[in-house]
Amino acid sequence: MSEREAVRLPEGLTEFLKDNDIPCPPVPLSALDVLDRTDDNFFATDMRPVSFVPVLPGDMDAVLDAWSGRQESSEAEASDAVSDSGEDEDARAGANVGGSEEAAASAPSSDGDVPFYEGGYVGFGLAGGGLQGMRVLFLLKEGSFRFGVSLPWNRAFGDPAEEREDLEAAFRLAEVCLQSRPGSGELRVFVNDLGCRWSLTGEGAERGGDDVDGLLDCLETGDMRCEESVPFSMWMRV
């Protein structure tokens, strides 16, 4: 059995990609193990709500930072709850980590429907609606690396070939960044229909721009590259 055949694909993912003619994003295999369907048109590694359509770099950060450190807090609260009141496991599953009832109700746990992804977060699917408002979203946090895609899809007055070409290019860029992400510091990349906004920080230096060429040059010539490249076989390919 090949490595790809042994991978557990989330239920409904293959059909979702085929039905919407969407290329498969480069999901790390470690994230694929816990990727599940969280909504009709969305797959993710945990149940955090994406209550708005991310269209700007700051929107990506808002989603990825929504539950920062939530697992550690949840585990600590659960432990305290056991020692203080002896509450059962079902009651502790809804512990309020973020300070709001809504966040507590949707917060993941080790025994929840969607296991926690220790590498960070991956979310992928469709968001928005209307004749011109649908978008493909791909949000990834892998250590100090963040990559986001928010591109128009299936617009009534759009060009399907152009939309697919743009999305495939964004996913290829994600693969390149995943292989060349910095060993230290932080790399943030966000691709939307206005272009590619990126920043690379670390060791007291900060670089950034709004063009793909500048990003690729920085990854190629910078001194913050990973010491070891991640082999292509470790990524879910299109």
Side-chain angles (χ1 to χ4, degrees), residues 175-189:
E175 285 198 10
V176 172
C177 291
L178 281 164
Q179 294 183 79
S180 303
R181 64 196 191 283
S184 61
E186 184 175 67
L187 173 62
R188 300 185 181 201
V189 183

Side-chain angles (χ1 to χ4, degrees), residues 114-126:
V114 179
F116 175 71
Y117 171 44
E118 295 182 357
Y121 174 78
V122 175
F124 165 70
L126 290 172

Side-chain angles (χ1 to χ4, degrees), residues 127-192:
L131 294 177
Q132 292 287 101
M134 187 70 71
R135 284 178 174 266
V136 172
L137 302 183
F138 176 58
L139 303 173
L140 182 148
K141 180 180 180 182
E142 180 84 9
S144 61
F145 171 61
R146 297 179 176 209
F147 195 98
V149 175
S150 178
L151 289 173
W153 194 256
N154 198 26
R155 294 171 298 176
F157 305 104
D159 183 341
E162 181 178 324
E163 291 177 346
R164 184 177 181 86
E165 182 179 346
D166 289 345
L167 187 59
E168 289 177 340
F171 287 169
R172 287 196 299 269
L173 180 62
E175 285 198 10
V176 172
C177 291
L178 281 164
Q179 294 183 79
S180 303
R181 64 196 191 283
S184 61
E186 184 175 67
L187 173 62
R188 300 185 181 201
V189 183
F190 190 80
V191 179
N192 60 13

